[in-house]
Amino acid sequence: MTLRTPEELDDAVRVDVEPVFRVEESAPDEQRFVFSYTVTVHNHSQRSVQLLARYWKITQGSGKVQEVRGKGVVGQQPMIGPGQTFRYTSRAILDGPVGVMEGAYTCVDTASQRPFEVAIAPFRLAGPNQVH
């Protein structure tokens, strides 16, 4: 099912992601590369929205692809008022030092109860000294 963004919210909800390689939690000898990523959801609209679900596609440098779906984020389904932001940090564990994540959030316009999808642009996960 493809969700369409209500016109009032088109391009008004944006997502920024800042990934960080967690050297102290990683074990390269065991093919364990840990990344944290801080997500900021910006609601630039005049309406309140609620983040209901998440979808992540994680492509590892090895070519392995993992898809993750679930309710909310970090155990929450946050309400984000007009002009507000919601920020959280989560993590991904890869089997190599390089990967890419992308995805989408399913949200709802709380006034109309119309669902819509917010795309999350691909972002790179890379350990130190990685040029790929």
Side-chain angles (χ1 to χ4, degrees), residues 2-58:
T2 301
L3 301 174
R4 298 280 181 209
T5 304
E7 290 176 17
E8 308 84 34
L9 295 170
D10 199 26
D11 294 324
V13 178
R14 296 184 186 246
V15 177
D16 294 322
V17 183
E18 297 176 33
V20 174
F21 177 64
R22 309 294 297 185
V23 66
E24 69 281 357
E25 297 175 45
S26 296
D29 294 345
E30 299 170 16
Q31 296 184 328
R32 177 184 163 90
F33 297 82
V34 180
F35 297 86
S36 65
Y37 54 93
T38 299
V39 177
T40 306
V41 182
H42 305 270
N43 180 2
H44 295 291
S45 78
Q46 299 301 310
R47 302 163 86 77
S48 291
V49 299
Q50 184 174 15
L51 193 161
L52 298 178
R54 71 187 179 283
Y55 165 74
W56 288 111
K57 178 181 174 186
I58 306 165

Side-chain angles (χ1 to χ4, degrees), residues 37-41 54 56 73-74 86-90 105:
Y37 54 93
T38 299
V39 177
T40 306
V41 182
R54 71 187 179 283
W56 288 111
V73 291
V74 294
F86 175 76
R87 178 175 287 142
Y88 73 94
T89 300
S90 192
Y105 292 141

Side-chain angles (χ1 to χ4, degrees), residues 9 13 43 45-51 78-84 107-114 116:
L9 295 170
V13 178
N43 180 2
S45 78
Q46 299 301 310
R47 302 163 86 77
S48 291
V49 299
Q50 184 174 15
L51 193 161
M79 296 283 286
I80 309 166
Q84 293 183 341
C107 298
V108 66
D109 172 342
T110 59
S112 69
Q113 293 301 302
R114 287 181 53 193
F116 64 98

